[in-house]
Amino acid sequence: MSVEIAEDRMAELTGDPDSGQLLEISMGPHHPSTHGVFRMNVTLEGERVVRLKPVFGYLHRNHEKIAENASYLAAIPYTDRLDYLCSMTNNWGYALAVEKLVGIAVPERAEYIRVIVAELTRLQNHASLIGFLLQDMGASGTPLMYAFREREKILDLFESLTGSRMMCNYMRFGGVRVDTTPEWLEEVQALVSRFPQFLDEFEKLLTENEILMSRTQGVGILPRELAINAGVTGPMLRASGVNYDIRKVDGYGIYDRFTFRVPLGEHGDVYDRYMMRALEMHESLKILEQALREITAGPVIDPKTRLRGLRPKAGEAYGRIESPKGELGFYLISNGTTEPYRYRVRPPSLINLTVLEDMCLGRSVADIVVILGSIDIVLGEVDR
């Protein structure tokens, strides 16, 4: 931790050079199992934040440039490593962009499977976020272990379907890599039937907890106008009262067939962001119940799709989805070769992180960690 007295900037920040001294501290980088290798340069007056600069780039892997030198198919495993908690939805966003670029149709059964694995991903992401958020507040490991217990059940399902627990490499242009078995769908149904009991216990433990409420209500407020202007998406945006969910707006895949609501917050504080994750898990369960009930038989990939040596006509396409963290988009430009001429990712973790300083100004040092935890970032997606 570096400490520096900055009296020459006192007048600029506080307007009163005699009111005290400013302290600059460096928080991080952290271990990847917390918020990733991320650092914050924080300027304090006492314990009050007067300036905060996010510093990242420690995990840069050159994802986009590597993908411009690989075939369209070879880029799929790289997407797994963006938000490494949400491999399935990463795959889907990229597959959707290529399908738009080429004009590939997706069989109905594959569309249902995509929805099922995406909503399972949302469940395990949101449960984990709540567990980590409570740990950031100084709680014992109990909430996190409860969340990870349920996450393990979902990862078991992913492993039995794809052969991998986290880097699933499952989606393909025009469908999915392998079909589900009837037994696998029965296991998903059993998990969906049990999950409400876990949510009820989790919310009973947390939602009206006096410590959680005092640490989160009125803390880290993100005004509606700022959220919109900054391009914030996902649960963070909806916590600020903005009714915007790409599953509803675009109806990509077959989301327009399902009945579910979009929860909204009123205050845009940490408590509302916590509640968005809890409420969205209930809606994901509704979608899963409908998808499991309505899934049809048939092929899981378009037989006309040529995966190897795919050579789209010159053009461009942008595919986006509602990932658990917000709008995940892939922008592709084709020059008629087997490799993308341009490949760019619109990562929600990075965009949502840009308003961190605005939410922390005037708050205490202890609040910073809680506010950061409520954003839900993964550095693999921030740095790419």
Side-chain angles (χ1 to χ4, degrees):
M1 178 183 293
S2 63
V3 179
E4 176 185 323
I5 304 301
E7 290 182 283
D8 55 329
R9 290 184 298 182
M10 178 66 73
E12 174 191 348
L13 296 174
T14 67
D16 182 4
D18 299 320
S19 63
Q21 292 179 327
L22 294 187
L23 189 69
E24 288 191 349
I25 63 172
S26 178
M27 300 178 66
H30 306 92
H31 191 276
S33 68
T34 55
H35 294 292
V37 278
F38 173 68
R39 181 159 66 96
M40 294 178 286
N41 289 335
V42 186
T43 304
L44 302 171
E45 181 186 15
E47 288 199 4
R48 185 176 65 89
V49 177
V50 294
R51 180 177 294 170
L52 186 148
K53 178 184 177 182
V55 182
F56 33 80
Y58 299 100
L59 201 59
H60 181 53
R61 301 186 313 283
N62 211 21
H63 173 124
E64 293 160 325
K65 187 54 66 177
I66 289 173
E68 291 174 1
N69 293 276
S71 69
Y72 286 90
L73 179 62
I76 293 178
Y78 291 113
T79 67
D80 288 341
R81 286 136 177 96
L82 284 168
D83 177 356
Y84 37 76
L85 294 178
C86 301
S87 162
M88 294 290 199
T89 48
N90 299 345
N91 288 176
W92 195 358
Y94 175 59
L96 193 63
V98 175
E99 288 159 3
K100 286 185 175 182
L101 188 64
V102 182
I104 299 174
V106 180
E108 187 166 285
R109 181 174 177 84
E111 294 281 25
Y112 276 100
I113 294 173
R114 285 181 171 187
V115 168
I116 290 169
V117 296
E119 294 309 315
L120 288 173
T121 298
R122 203 177 312 276
L123 287 178
Q124 61 95 3
N125 178 88
H126 285 358
S128 300
L129 179 277
I130 293 174
F132 279 121
L133 180 62
L134 268 292
Q135 185 167 274
D136 288 339
M137 292 180 200
S140 66
T142 301
L144 182 60
M145 290 302 101
Y146 281 3
F148 267 41
R149 180 190 64 191
E150 302 306 312
R151 178 174 180 258
E152 285 298 301
K153 297 173 184 176
I154 294 174
L155 296 188
D156 287 343
L157 289 170
F158 288 169
E159 183 178 21
S160 65
L161 177 64
T162 71
S164 176
R165 299 174 68 77
M166 293 182 68
M167 306 301 152
C168 297
N169 185 21
Y170 181 59
M171 305 279 181
R172 290 293 182 268
F173 315 133
V176 295
R177 179 159 52 88
V178 294
D179 198 358
T180 62
T181 63
E183 293 76 18
W184 189 85
L185 292 174
E186 289 174 4
E187 291 176 9
V188 175
Q189 182 63 68
L191 181 141
V192 170
S193 299
R194 293 191 304 264
F195 212 85
Q197 180 181 356
F198 157 70
L199 285 181
D200 291 342
E201 293 175 350
F202 213 37
E203 292 176 45
K204 185 176 181 181
L205 175 69
L206 301 176
T207 301
E208 296 184 5
N209 182 282
E210 184 177 345
I211 297 175
L212 182 144
M213 294 173 70
S214 64
R215 290 295 308 277
T216 60
Q217 290 185 339
V219 174
I221 294 174
L222 177 62
R224 173 190 175 98
E225 294 75 18
L226 176 59
I228 295 171
N229 293 337
V232 171
T233 54
M236 274 191 68
L237 179 66
R238 293 188 285 275
S240 296
V242 181
N243 189 353
Y244 187 81
D245 187 314
I246 298 174
R247 293 173 295 176
K248 291 281 192 181
V249 174
D250 288 359
Y252 63 92
I254 53 171
Y255 273 111
D256 55 355
R257 300 185 186 182
F258 304 121
T259 301
F260 65 98
R261 71 183 186 93
V262 179
L264 299 176
E266 296 181 0
H267 310 290
D269 56 11
V270 173
Y271 189 80
D272 277 357
R273 291 194 281 277
Y274 153 74
M275 284 302 303
M276 286 306 99
R277 273 71 179 215
L279 294 173
E280 286 187 9
M281 284 192 281
H282 287 284
E283 300 308 310
S284 289
L285 290 173
K286 292 180 184 177
I287 295 172
L288 283 165
E289 288 171 353
Q290 295 171 73
L292 290 167
R293 184 171 60 248
E294 299 170 9
I295 188 171
T296 58
V300 296
I301 194 164
D302 185 348
K304 298 178 182 178
T305 302
R306 181 184 177 186
L307 296 177
R308 298 183 184 276
L310 186 67
R311 194 184 295 268
K313 295 179 181 179
E316 60 185 288
Y318 179 69
R320 64 176 189 168
I321 64 164
E322 183 69 34
S323 84
K325 294 173 174 60
E327 178 180 337
L328 172 63
F330 290 83
Y331 175 62
L332 303 174
I333 299 179
S334 169
N335 60 357
T337 67
T338 58
E339 301 169 355
Y341 176 70
R342 283 290 180 267
Y343 175 110
R344 291 292 180 268
V345 182
R346 192 272 185 204
S349 289
L350 173 63
I351 305 300
N352 294 350
L353 188 59
T354 60
V355 292
L356 177 61
E357 180 182 41
D358 300 275
M359 295 190 292
C360 290
L361 290 178
R363 305 302 310 183
S364 69
V365 179
D367 290 334
I368 295 176
V369 180
V370 178
I371 295 169
L372 174 63
S374 71
I375 298 177
D376 191 10
I377 62 170
V378 165
L379 264 292
E381 189 175 77
V382 171
D383 290 337
R384 301 182 308 290

